[in-house]
Amino acid sequence: DKFLSYIKTKSNIDPIVVASPRRNINDLPIKRKFIFEKTLELVRDSKLVIAHYSTAIHLAVLFEKPILVLSTDNININRHSSDLMMKQYSKELGAKLINLDKFSYPKKNFKLKNFLKVNKKKYNKFVNRYLRFNDKKENFDKWKIILDELEKYAGSRKEKK
C-alpha cells in the first residue's frame, strides 16, 4: 500500500489493484479498492503493470506493456519459488525489479518514466519461451487463439452460473 501511494504521489495517477481470481472479496491485504474479474481489460488499457507473481505479467507481455516487478525479503516456503520466478522474469524481460523491503521512499531521483520502457526483443523471446503454443506454426495469430480460449472460458463460467 505504501509503494502504491508513493507511485500515486510521483505520477498523479492512482494505481488500480486487480484482484487474483482466487482472492476472497472479504480478505483484502491492503486498504485499497480491489477490482475483480477485469484483469484482461485493465492490463490492456494500462500504461504500466506493477505485479508480483501474477498472470497479469503474461498479459502485459502480450499487450507489450511496461512491467515493474515487485519482490520482498519476506521469502517463506510458499513464496520462495514465486520470488525466484519474478527475479527470472524481470531479468528475461528487462523489467525493473523493486524489492519493497529495500526501497528508499524519500528518493528524489525516482522517475516513473524510467520504468515505462519495453524491450520488444526480450518480450518476443519471453512469448516464445513461456507463452507459445507448441502445436501451432511459427507465424500463428496469437490473439485469435487467446481470444478463442478466453471465450471458451467465459462460456463455461456462464454455464456454471
Side-chain angles (χ1 to χ4, degrees):
D1 195 34
K2 183 177 178 182
F3 182 75
L4 295 178
S5 296
Y6 181 76
I7 292 296
K8 181 179 179 181
T9 3
K10 289 293 187 175
S11 68
N12 291 321
I13 298 170
D14 197 10
I16 297 170
V17 180
V18 180
S20 162
R22 295 177 308 276
R23 166 112 3 237
N24 181 325
I25 196 165
N26 299 314
D27 179 26
L28 305 178
I30 58 177
K31 295 178 181 179
R32 287 189 163 267
K33 179 181 177 186
F34 279 67
I35 307 291
F36 287 81
E37 298 184 17
K38 299 248 184 241
T39 306
L40 181 71
E41 298 90 342
L42 291 168
V43 170
R44 179 195 63 211
D45 298 339
S46 70
K47 294 199 185 318
L48 171 69
V49 174
I50 302 171
H52 182 59
Y53 192 64
S54 169
T55 305
I57 289 177
H58 298 162
L59 292 172
V61 170
L62 291 170
F63 284 116
E64 296 183 343
K65 299 295 181 173
I67 302 166
L68 176 57
V69 181
L70 301 179
S71 73
T72 65
D73 287 337
N74 186 17
I75 298 173
N76 59 36
I77 301 296
N78 297 329
R79 292 193 40 206
H80 182 69
S81 61
S82 65
D83 278 4
L84 290 176
M85 186 60 77
M86 289 303 87
K87 288 175 185 170
Q88 182 68 26
Y89 281 4
S90 172
K91 182 179 176 184
E92 289 183 29
L93 292 167
K96 301 288 185 187
L97 176 69
I98 291 183
N99 182 319
L100 294 176
D101 295 323
K102 294 181 174 129
F103 185 73
S104 173
Y105 288 94
K107 273 188 173 183
K108 302 284 187 236
N109 62 351
F110 181 86
K111 301 215 182 318
L112 196 57
K113 70 179 179 180
N114 293 339
F115 297 90
L116 300 177
K117 296 176 181 141
V118 170
N119 184 323
K120 290 187 180 187
K121 186 176 179 180
K122 287 187 175 192
Y123 274 42
N124 286 333
K125 192 173 179 181
F126 185 92
V127 167
N128 286 329
R129 181 169 184 188
Y130 296 105
L131 306 177
R132 188 165 178 259
F133 300 94
N134 292 328
D135 60 339
K136 302 295 176 191
K137 292 181 182 175
E138 197 60 39
N139 57 358
F140 63 91
D141 181 356
K142 65 185 172 196
W143 289 113
K144 178 165 179 6
I145 295 167
I146 290 167
L147 290 172
D148 287 348
E149 291 301 314
L150 288 171
E151 285 174 7
K152 284 183 205 172
Y153 173 73
S156 70
R157 288 194 70 195
K158 286 179 185 174
E159 290 172 12
K160 288 180 183 178
K161 290 181 179 179

CSV table of all heavy atoms in Angstrom, one decimal, residues 3 5 24 33 92 153:
chain,number,residue,atom,x,y,z
A,3,PHE,N,3.9,1.6,-1.2
A,3,PHE,CA,4.5,1.8,-2.5
A,3,PHE,C,3.5,2.3,-3.5
A,3,PHE,O,3.8,3.2,-4.3
A,3,PHE,CB,5.1,0.5,-3.0
A,3,PHE,CG,5.8,0.6,-4.3
A,3,PHE,CD1,7.0,1.2,-4.4
A,3,PHE,CD2,5.2,0.2,-5.5
A,3,PHE,CE1,7.7,1.4,-5.6
A,3,PHE,CE2,5.8,0.3,-6.7
A,3,PHE,CZ,7.1,0.9,-6.8
A,5,SER,N,0.9,4.2,-2.9
A,5,SER,CA,0.7,5.6,-2.5
A,5,SER,C,1.8,6.4,-3.0
A,5,SER,O,1.6,7.5,-3.5
A,5,SER,CB,0.5,5.7,-1.0
A,5,SER,OG,-0.6,5.0,-0.6
A,24,ASN,N,-10.4,-13.8,-2.0
A,24,ASN,CA,-11.7,-13.7,-1.4
A,24,ASN,C,-12.0,-12.2,-1.2
A,24,ASN,O,-11.2,-11.5,-0.7
A,24,ASN,CB,-11.6,-14.4,0.0
A,24,ASN,CG,-12.9,-14.3,0.8
A,24,ASN,OD1,-13.7,-13.4,0.7
A,24,ASN,ND2,-13.2,-15.4,1.5
A,33,LYS,N,-9.1,-0.1,-3.0
A,33,LYS,CA,-10.2,-0.7,-3.7
A,33,LYS,C,-9.6,-1.8,-4.6
A,33,LYS,O,-8.6,-1.5,-5.3
A,33,LYS,CB,-10.9,0.3,-4.5
A,33,LYS,CG,-12.1,-0.2,-5.3
A,33,LYS,CD,-12.8,0.8,-6.1
A,33,LYS,CE,-13.8,0.2,-7.0
A,33,LYS,NZ,-14.4,1.2,-7.9
A,92,GLU,N,14.7,-11.6,-17.7
A,92,GLU,CA,14.4,-12.0,-19.1
A,92,GLU,C,13.6,-10.9,-19.9
A,92,GLU,O,13.8,-10.8,-21.1
A,92,GLU,CB,13.6,-13.3,-19.1
A,92,GLU,CG,14.4,-14.5,-18.7
A,92,GLU,CD,13.6,-15.8,-18.8
A,92,GLU,OE1,12.7,-15.9,-19.7
A,92,GLU,OE2,13.9,-16.7,-18.1
A,153,TYR,N,-13.6,-20.1,-22.0
A,153,TYR,CA,-13.6,-20.0,-20.6
A,153,TYR,C,-14.8,-19.2,-20.1
A,153,TYR,O,-15.5,-19.6,-19.2
A,153,TYR,CB,-12.3,-19.3,-20.1
A,153,TYR,CG,-12.3,-19.0,-18.6
A,153,TYR,CD1,-12.2,-20.0,-17.7
A,153,TYR,CD2,-12.5,-17.7,-18.2
A,153,TYR,CE1,-12.1,-19.7,-16.3
A,153,TYR,CE2,-12.4,-17.4,-16.8
A,153,TYR,CZ,-12.3,-18.4,-15.9
A,153,TYR,OH,-12.3,-18.1,-14.6
